[in-house]
């Protein structure tokens, strides 16, 4: 394995960032960040307890009046400076992300980090466009206008699969709108969230605006969601945990944004470009070792193309290079942990009893044996109601099923509890257009699968949650809408008063 990115000297003061400084957690428990490619320790730190969450929320509450009172231009300028700091530190961010997640450095360098920088630049501009409805005299006797106002302290929880991007997706719209935030990253992968907060401090964003508490979900996470001074919770993670977050948030009548699990269908009609669909399926199912809630997981292929699609995808999967994440030629790194690797392997082993593992389905040996690696896996012949078709595996596994008519294909694609993302592959504009209307997902791609852009919203239907990350639509989550109404008549005894007292 190549030289690993050294992080211990960066976090000697601890892995909590509260009110502008790093400090140790006070829960009495510790956690070790493990390099999933080698199994070696990267950093051991003290986890946050409830007292740390209280301090972080108090810091955010103190910072709120000043930050929310800043002009949109001032917040915009600060975010532009943050984008510049992130760009200067891009290499460090990419290597830290690859170290804690195991993702290939080419993915961190070309996707995670530039995507985060672009998000920051987008919200720097969007901060100047928090506009309400234009003033007008809708009643005839009053001028009405709509204000967008910051809501207060946001308590957010981010997942381990894209730690840097998910931290940015939570932090940026919240603070662009004038809120302050306490973010709890996953214990497995806190490094780049902490580095993001430090970069914000270098950019001149005031202390207390961004706070990071790194602790266990049942301790720090639940206390953050239920905290009386937190007015909104944004959570990205599994649907099961999302239900628990919703229970806690509902008890204190918080605003809630949930981006939950996915089981994205990849719908290939019989007029599709077979080579494009096969390449797209391999890339979309294996991105981030399949640990992506929008990854292609269920390929439905119209019967005339099914066998050729299976053969071509298997052929392409067998060319994928597993290896050291820090080797620029590596295509596929390990999963985030050995526990996650074993969970994925369990799904595949159980599937052997009712389906065919066409390729993959193995834990590699040799130089990769110490890491959490799993070979790209293609499964065919599974039933629609089987576990591998219905459950979120979150690994490098693609299941292929045939369909006959278009009605059947769309129905099968919609036949899961999830609705985060989907794609349709066809040369027929009307066929593809129908799929975009009828597929029940928050994002539908045509003849591609995975690309995202800062200007467009990300969020799901059904058990995949509600609310949007990225884009100007995210401000719907992070602002209060206030109607302001001015009398313009200067009449003391208004006609409508007579409906309450007196005569006309």
């Amino acid at each position: 394995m190549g030289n690993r990115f050294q992080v211990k000297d960066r976090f000697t003061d601890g892995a909590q960032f509260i009110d502008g400084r790093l400090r140790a957690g006070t829960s009495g428990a510790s956690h070790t960040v493990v390099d999933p490619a080698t199994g070696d320790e990267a950093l051991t730190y003290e986890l946050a307890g409830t007292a740390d969450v209280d301090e972080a929320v108090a810091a955010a509450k103190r910072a709120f009046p000043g930050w929310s009172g800043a002009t949109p231009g001032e917040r915009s300028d600060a975010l532009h400076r943050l984008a510049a700091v992130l760009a200067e530190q891009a290499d460090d961010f990419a290597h830290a992300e690859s170290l804690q997640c195991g993702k290939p450095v080419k993915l961190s360098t070309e996707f995670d980090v530039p995507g985060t920088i672009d998000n920051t630049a987008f919200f720097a501009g969007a901060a100047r466009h928090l506009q309400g409805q234009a003033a007008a005299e809708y009643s005839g006797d009053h001028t009405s206008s709509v204000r967008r106002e910051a809501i207060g302290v946001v308590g957010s929880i981010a997942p381990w699969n894209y730690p840097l991007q998910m931290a940015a997706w939570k932090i940026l719209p919240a603070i662009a709108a004038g809120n302050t935030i306490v973010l709890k990253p996953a214990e497995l992968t806190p490094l780049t969230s902490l580095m993001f907060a430090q970069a914000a401090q270098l950019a001149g964003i005031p202390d207390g605006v961004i706070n990071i508490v790194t602790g266990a979900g049942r301790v720090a996470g639940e206390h953050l969601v239920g905290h009386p001074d937190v007015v909104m919770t944004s959570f990205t993670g599994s649907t099961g945990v999302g239900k628990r977050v919703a229970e806690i948030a509902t008890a204190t009548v918080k605003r809630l944004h949930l981006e939950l699990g996915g089981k994205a269908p990849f719908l290939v009609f019989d007029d599709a470009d077979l080579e494009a669909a096969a390449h797209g399926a391999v890339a979309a199912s294996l991105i981030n070792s399949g640990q992506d809630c929008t990854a292609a997981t269920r390929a439905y292929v119209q019967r005339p193309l099914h066998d050729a699609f299976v053969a071509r995808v298997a052929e392409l999967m067998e060319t994928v290079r597993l290896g050291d994440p820090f080797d620029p030629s590596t295509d596929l790194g390990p999963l985030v942990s050995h526990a996650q690797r074993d969970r994925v392997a369990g799904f595949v082993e159980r599937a052997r009893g009712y389906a065919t593992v066409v390729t993959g389905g193995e834990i590699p040996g040799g130089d990769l044996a110490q890491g959490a690696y799993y070979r790209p896996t293609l499964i065919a012949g599974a039933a629609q109601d089987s576990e591998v078709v219905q459950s979120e595996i979150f690994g490098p596994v693609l299941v292929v099923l045939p369909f006959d008519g278009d009605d059947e294909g769309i129905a099968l694609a919609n036949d899961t509890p999830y609705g985060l993302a989907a794609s349709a592959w066809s040369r027929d504009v009307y066929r593809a257009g129908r799929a975009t209307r009828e597929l029940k997902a928050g994002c539908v791609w045509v003849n591609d699968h995975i690309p995202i852009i800062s200007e467009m919203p990300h969020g799901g239907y059904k058990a995949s949650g509600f609310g949007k990350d990225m884009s100007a639509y995210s401000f719907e989550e992070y602002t209060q809408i206030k109607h302001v109404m001015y009398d313009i008549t200067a009449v003391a005894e208004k006609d409508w008063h007579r409906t309450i007292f007196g005569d006309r």
Side-chain angles (χ1 to χ4, degrees), residues 61-95:
K61 187 176 181 180
R62 288 193 301 271
F64 176 72
W67 183 249
S68 62
T71 67
E74 288 168 339
R75 291 197 295 269
S76 175
D77 289 347
L79 288 171
H80 278 299
R81 293 193 300 269
L82 175 56
V85 173
L86 294 173
E88 290 169 3
Q89 298 181 4
D91 190 62
D92 282 355
F93 273 99
H95 284 80

Side-chain angles (χ1 to χ4, degrees), residues 196-218:
F196 188 93
Q198 290 176 306
Q201 187 179 47
L202 284 176
I205 292 175
D207 293 348
V209 172
I210 300 172
N211 305 274
I212 310 293
V213 291
T214 308
R218 292 190 179 277

Side-chain angles (χ1 to χ4, degrees), residues 255-339:
R255 182 176 296 199
L256 186 61
H257 166 221
L258 298 174
E259 199 265 89
L260 306 176
K263 191 70 178 173
F266 188 99
L267 185 60
V268 183
F269 294 103
D270 58 11
D271 67 334
D273 182 324
L274 177 63
E275 194 69 7
H279 279 81
V282 172
S285 63
L286 300 185
I287 184 171
N288 202 33
S289 296
Q291 300 166 127
D292 187 312
C293 49
T294 63
T297 59
R298 301 176 290 136
Y300 295 97
V301 184
Q302 204 152 18
R303 208 170 292 276
L305 288 185
H306 176 270
D307 291 352
F309 179 87
V310 169
R312 184 59 174 142
V313 169
E315 182 180 40
L316 290 171
M317 279 189 169
E318 288 164 7
T319 69
V320 173
R321 298 164 296 186
L322 279 69
D324 178 5
F326 290 94
D327 183 339
S329 68
T330 292
D331 296 322
L332 195 73
L335 281 86
V336 74
S337 68
H338 288 78

Side-chain angles (χ1 to χ4, degrees), residues 62-344:
R62 288 193 301 271
F64 176 72
W67 183 249
S68 62
T71 67
E74 288 168 339
R75 291 197 295 269
S76 175
D77 289 347
L79 288 171
H80 278 299
R81 293 193 300 269
L82 175 56
V85 173
L86 294 173
E88 290 169 3
Q89 298 181 4
D91 190 62
D92 282 355
F93 273 99
H95 284 80
E97 195 78 336
S98 288
L99 175 72
Q100 65 182 354
C101 299
K103 62 182 68 187
V105 73
K106 70 177 181 180
L107 181 65
S108 297
T109 301
E110 298 180 28
F111 180 70
D112 296 74
V113 174
T116 301
I117 295 169
D118 185 72
N119 260 245
T120 308
F122 170 80
F123 280 106
R128 290 180 176 266
H129 296 282
L130 281 166
Q131 297 170 344
Q133 191 171 0
E137 288 68 48
Y138 295 96
S139 77
D141 292 337
H142 307 83
T143 296
S144 286
S145 65
V146 173
R147 291 174 54 87
R148 281 188 182 270
E149 296 182 348
I151 57 177
V153 177
V154 177
S156 294
I157 299 176
W160 48 257
N161 58 333
Y162 289 101
L164 176 59
Q165 291 207 80
M166 295 297 100
W169 285 17
K170 301 301 182 197
I171 292 170
L172 291 169
I175 68 171
N179 303 292
T180 56
I181 188 168
V182 179
L183 174 75
K184 192 198 88 66
E187 307 96 290
L188 289 172
T189 55
L191 304 179
T192 46
S193 298
L194 292 162
M195 292 167 62
F196 188 93
Q198 290 176 306
Q201 187 179 47
L202 284 176
I205 292 175
D207 293 348
V209 172
I210 300 172
N211 305 274
I212 310 293
V213 291
T214 308
R218 292 190 179 277
V219 179
E222 293 198 1
H223 191 63
L224 177 62
V225 174
H227 199 289
D229 288 333
V230 169
V231 298
M232 174 190 165
T233 290
S234 177
F235 170 80
T236 297
S238 71
T239 298
V241 177
K243 290 178 181 178
R244 175 60 179 158
V245 169
E247 289 174 3
I248 299 169
T250 301
T252 51
V253 198
K254 294 188 193 322
R255 182 176 296 199
L256 186 61
H257 166 221
L258 298 174
E259 199 265 89
L260 306 176
K263 191 70 178 173
F266 188 99
L267 185 60
V268 183
F269 294 103
D270 58 11
D271 67 334
D273 182 324
L274 177 63
E275 194 69 7
H279 279 81
V282 172
S285 63
L286 300 185
I287 184 171
N288 202 33
S289 296
Q291 300 166 127
D292 187 312
C293 49
T294 63
T297 59
R298 301 176 290 136
Y300 295 97
V301 184
Q302 204 152 18
R303 208 170 292 276
L305 288 185
H306 176 270
D307 291 352
F309 179 87
V310 169
R312 184 59 174 142
V313 169
E315 182 180 40
L316 290 171
M317 279 189 169
E318 288 164 7
T319 69
V320 173
R321 298 164 296 186
L322 279 69
D324 178 5
F326 290 94
D327 183 339
S329 68
T330 292
D331 296 322
L332 195 73
L335 281 86
V336 74
S337 68
H338 288 78
Q340 179 65 14
R341 190 270 314 273
D342 293 344
R343 178 181 178 276
V344 170

